């Protein structure tokens, strides 16, 4: 599955080249043009037999949360900063790869045997953690890593259970994979497919991309928060795995166009595609920059529910993935018939 290659690639915010190269190689035979803009976004154009009702832009961000090396101490241990929103509680003892040579490392801390009792109940701060790459001195470590190098979780893609995929960076390589499949398909509608950079650190790439494309309609493909555990009331559950793609209502950056959302729901029901609403206003995505760029545009976000997001390992349902792709294809195909 192409998603395996994408999730196992390294691409923390600001360092998306490996992911970008994989995507360009995959889509180039299927699009009319593809280019990289000044900030690193990939902007592809696929012509259609008939133009859609306005200029259509479909986006997914390439970057993942990660770490950046800020110091190498005298023992050869690496101190780091977080890049994007990472829960400190998930870091201890996780394996990572560091730098362009993908040096293996383990995130370490003081062992529990040496901690004071009051430390047992506290979450370890980032400054109390380090990456151990097996070096015994600063000089030895500096031969293979440098200040400013990125580190990402070292997690392999795996399918498990009846319908599940576990991997790192499903936010948002799952959206990238769906957009790649869309561009490779035989849809007749003209679209601009955009793979953005640095979403996780403030929706950085999306604004310049939208300014260039000047869309009338934008569809943002995402992996979104999913937490449907037994201790929650139903109204607290943002999305449910296995209930299909999640259509956003509102988030911290966007109040989504109600008429467009209603029309998308009609398309889903007409095509017997299971769907759900994203029932939380927490978080945000590239729509926050896209819908306010230049003269503005209508946007929607269609997402794959993703458990354990922004952690070393996330989980999605293949059913949700397939139905998200099906819904996006149906929406794109009908846009040529509808004046939105």
């Amino acid at each position: 599955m192409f998603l395996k290659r994408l999730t196992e690639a390294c691409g923390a915010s600001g360092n998306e080249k490996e992911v970008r190269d994989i995507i360009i190689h995959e889509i180039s035979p299927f699009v009319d043009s593809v280019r990289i803009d000044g900030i690193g976004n990939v902007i592809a154009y696929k012509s259609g037999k008939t133009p859609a009702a306005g200029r259509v832009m479909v986006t997914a961000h390439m970057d993942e949360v990660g770490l950046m090396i800020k110091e190498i101490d005298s023992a050869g241990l690496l101190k780091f900063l977080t890049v994007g929103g990472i829960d400190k509680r998930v870091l201890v003892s996780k394996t990572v790869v560091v730098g362009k040579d993908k040096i293996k490392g383990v995130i370490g801390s003081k062992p529990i045997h040496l901690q004071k009792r009051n430390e047992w109940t506290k979450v370890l701060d980032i400054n109390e953690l380090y990456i151990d790459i097996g070096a015994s001195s600063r000089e030895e470590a500096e031969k293979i890593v440098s200040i400013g190098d990125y580190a990402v979780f070292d997690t392999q893609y795996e399918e498990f259970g009846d319908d599940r995929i576990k991997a790192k960076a499903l936010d948002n390589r799952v959206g990238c994979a769906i957009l790649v499949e869309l561009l490779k398909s035989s849809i007749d509608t003209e679209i601009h497919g955009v793979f953005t950079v640095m979403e996780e650190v403030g929706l950085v790439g999306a604004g310049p991309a939208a300014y260039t494309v000047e869309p009338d309609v934008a569809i943002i493909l995402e992996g979104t928060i999913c937490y449907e555990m037994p201790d929650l009331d139903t109204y607290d559950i943002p999305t449910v795995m296995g209930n299909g793609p999640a259509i956003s209502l509102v988030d911290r950056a966007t109040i989504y166009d109600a008429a467009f959302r209603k029309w998308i729901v009609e398309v889903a029901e007409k095509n017997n595609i299971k769907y759900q609403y994203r029932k939380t206003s927490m978080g945000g995505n590239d729509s926050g920059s896209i819908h306010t760029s230049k003269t503005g545009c209508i946007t929607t976000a269609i997402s794959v529910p993703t458990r354990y997001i922004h952690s070393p390992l996330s989980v999605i349902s293949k059913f949700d993935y397939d139905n998200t792709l099906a819904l996006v294809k149906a929406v794109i195909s009908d846009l040529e018939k509808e004046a939105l």
Side-chain angles (χ1 to χ4, degrees):
M1 194 174 185
F2 181 62
L3 184 58
K4 172 179 168 63
R5 289 176 59 200
L6 285 179
T7 59
E8 292 182 355
C10 299
S13 301
N15 189 46
E16 297 91 351
K17 184 180 186 305
E18 184 179 346
V19 180
R20 181 166 52 237
D21 289 348
I22 291 170
I23 288 170
I24 291 174
H25 180 268
E26 191 74 13
I27 66 173
S28 291
F30 302 94
V31 298
D32 296 84
S33 66
V34 59
R35 66 187 182 89
I36 304 169
D37 70 8
I39 203 168
N41 297 310
V42 175
I43 302 177
Y45 170 71
K46 185 178 178 74
S47 61
K49 292 180 181 177
T50 9
R55 185 169 297 172
V56 180
M57 175 169 145
V58 187
T59 77
H61 71 87
M62 296 182 285
D63 57 314
E64 64 190 284
V65 297
L67 311 171
M68 182 180 285
I69 307 309
K70 69 173 185 177
E71 182 183 348
I72 304 172
D73 73 12
S74 59
L77 302 173
L78 314 181
K79 305 295 287 185
F80 58 85
L81 306 165
T82 56
V83 179
I86 300 179
D87 185 345
K88 294 180 289 188
R89 294 172 298 178
V90 306
L91 291 174
V92 179
S93 79
K94 301 305 186 297
T95 56
V96 295
V97 291
V98 183
K100 60 182 176 58
D101 294 325
K102 299 186 179 180
I103 304 301
K104 299 281 187 177
V106 178
I107 299 175
S109 66
K110 184 198 298 185
I112 192 168
H113 311 73
L114 302 180
Q115 294 175 18
K116 297 180 175 64
R117 283 191 174 272
N118 66 334
E119 294 180 285
W120 293 1
T121 57
K122 293 193 310 180
V123 177
L124 292 169
D125 190 73
I126 295 295
N127 290 328
E128 299 175 273
L129 304 175
Y130 53 82
I131 299 172
D132 184 345
I133 58 170
S136 57
S137 66
R138 178 184 290 113
E139 293 72 24
E140 187 178 341
E142 286 176 339
K143 292 176 183 177
I144 51 176
V145 298
S146 302
I147 304 298
D149 279 352
Y150 286 88
V152 297
F153 298 119
D154 185 20
T155 307
Q156 303 304 303
Y157 172 101
E158 185 178 354
E159 298 184 12
F160 72 109
D162 293 332
D163 169 56
R164 302 291 191 252
I165 292 169
K166 56 182 178 180
K168 74 169 180 68
L170 285 168
D171 174 19
N172 183 36
R173 305 290 158 69
V174 66
C176 291
I178 290 169
L179 180 49
V180 166
E181 291 200 50
L182 179 67
L183 292 171
K184 290 171 66 175
S185 71
S186 56
I187 55 167
D188 290 334
T189 308
E190 176 185 66
I191 62 170
H192 298 262
V194 180
F195 301 86
T196 62
V197 297
M198 294 182 277
E199 189 266 2
E200 298 292 2
V201 291
L203 322 182
V204 175
Y211 194 90
T212 298
V213 174
E214 297 183 86
D216 298 296
V217 175
I219 300 171
I220 292 82
L221 302 177
E222 266 284 8
T224 196
I225 50 177
C226 176
Y227 188 76
E228 71 279 52
M229 301 308 157
D231 58 331
L232 289 183
D233 292 320
T234 56
Y235 56 80
D236 283 330
I237 296 172
T239 66
V240 176
M241 187 165 292
N243 277 8
I247 302 169
S248 288
L249 302 169
V250 60
D251 59 38
R252 285 183 175 176
T254 308
I255 298 174
Y256 294 92
D257 186 87
F260 192 26
R261 180 175 64 248
K262 180 181 177 182
W263 179 77
I264 289 169
V265 167
E266 290 171 358
V267 170
E269 291 175 347
K270 180 178 70 175
N271 289 275
N272 297 312
I273 298 169
K274 192 174 184 180
Y275 68 92
Q276 60 185 303
Y277 293 111
R278 183 183 185 272
K279 296 188 295 182
T280 181
S281 61
M282 300 300 291
N285 59 54
D286 276 340
S287 172
S289 291
I290 292 169
H291 83 285
T292 58
S293 179
K294 220 164 189 177
T295 58
C297 73
I298 293 170
T299 64
T300 190
I302 303 175
S303 305
V304 178
T306 306
R307 288 179 183 164
Y308 326 124
I309 206 163
H310 285 204
S311 78
L313 190 152
S314 299
V315 173
I316 63 167
S317 156
K318 287 193 277 187
F319 175 87
D320 293 338
Y321 177 96
D322 292 340
N323 279 273
T324 302
L325 176 59
L327 179 56
V328 174
K329 282 184 176 179
V331 167
I332 293 293
S333 296
D334 276 10
L335 273 171
E336 65 182 79
K337 307 168 190 172
E338 299 288 339
L340 298 176

